Amino acid sequence: MDGQAAFLLHQPATGHRVADLVVGESNRLRDVLLGLAENPALPTRLFARLIANGDEDVLFTLAHRDQLTLPQVRDLVAVGNPSLTGFMVRIGLVPWPEIPKEQPGRLLDAVLGGIAPAAVWRAVATDPNPEARREVAYADDAPADVITFLVRDLDLQVVASAAANPNLPPELLPHLARHPARSYGRPSPRTRTRHPLCSPPS
């Protein structure tokens, strides 16, 4: 551990001290903070101080840590960063009761993360945003009744994803054969603008 990291470890537990240091030596100190966030032996008392720093890379690095406690998950969600929260929901870090359902996109994240009740799949399948419906139609674990609903969608990309879904009921094939757009090939998932660290930890 270098001198800067040692200095941080022995500072009084105030987020303001960390924030002031970031302003003064942003580049070097940011590397130090990232190193601390990655450190498996990070003391619990420093976790909240790193969150208070607010640097997005630091926040995502903390979210990638193994064996996060529920209080730590809550602290990260409380930051209110939509990209961070969405990532955490999609990889199953946030239990269903803890998901901020009032935030746009969180129900879709919960569905794709496999932690939403079946009724939520149906709710997201009626989302007015066609991109949300496309993601549901593309999901391999989408319930058959949801796929049945989505093959009748007005958006052809939604229909194409639903038609190629492994849970498509076979009895719907005649309906699809009569569809005006019969050339179905499973489209690629929608390209999302993601944080560079927004991938499940290996």
Side-chain angles (χ1 to χ4, degrees):
M1 181 181 299
D2 66 18
Q4 187 70 63
F7 175 74
L8 279 173
L9 285 171
H10 292 91
Q11 289 303 297
T14 62
H16 295 297
R17 172 67 67 180
V18 176
D20 290 343
L21 288 171
V22 170
V23 171
E25 298 182 71
S26 58
N27 291 334
R28 181 170 180 273
L29 185 54
R30 185 168 173 273
D31 290 340
V32 172
L33 295 177
L34 286 170
L36 286 171
E38 293 173 347
N39 186 350
L42 177 71
T44 302
R45 69 181 185 277
L46 282 183
F47 193 93
R49 292 167 62 187
L50 290 173
I51 291 177
N53 167 259
D55 182 277
E56 190 171 53
D57 285 339
V58 172
L59 293 172
F60 270 88
T61 301
L62 290 172
H64 276 83
R65 292 176 61 84
D66 293 333
Q67 299 179 335
L68 287 175
T69 66
L70 183 55
Q72 289 173 334
V73 169
R74 287 171 175 162
D75 287 344
L76 286 167
V77 170
V79 172
N81 181 309
S83 296
L84 176 68
T85 302
F87 164 69
M88 294 176 64
V89 171
R90 289 196 183 208
I91 66 170
L93 285 176
V94 187
W96 171 250
E98 303 284 335
I99 293 173
K101 302 172 185 65
E102 72 283 357
Q103 292 183 5
R106 294 298 78 81
L107 292 182
L108 175 61
D109 292 331
V111 161
L112 299 180
I115 57 175
V120 179
W121 280 93
R122 301 180 187 100
V124 179
T126 63
D127 193 299
N129 182 353
E131 291 186 353
R133 302 198 305 277
R134 289 171 204 157
E135 292 213 49
V136 172
Y138 192 86
D140 286 342
D141 51 350
D145 66 312
V146 171
I147 297 303
T148 299
F149 176 79
L150 290 174
V151 293
R152 295 175 170 84
D153 199 276
L154 296 178
D155 185 288
L156 291 181
Q157 291 186 45
V158 174
V159 175
S161 289
N165 193 288
N167 294 324
L168 174 74
E171 60 269 23
L172 292 180
L173 292 175
H175 164 77
L176 291 170
R178 296 190 298 271
H179 197 280
R182 290 189 294 271
S183 179
Y184 295 115
R186 191 164 197 188
S188 299
R190 177 171 62 89
T191 301
R192 304 181 187 88
T193 301
R194 286 191 169 186
H195 188 281
L197 292 177
C198 191
S199 57
S202 57

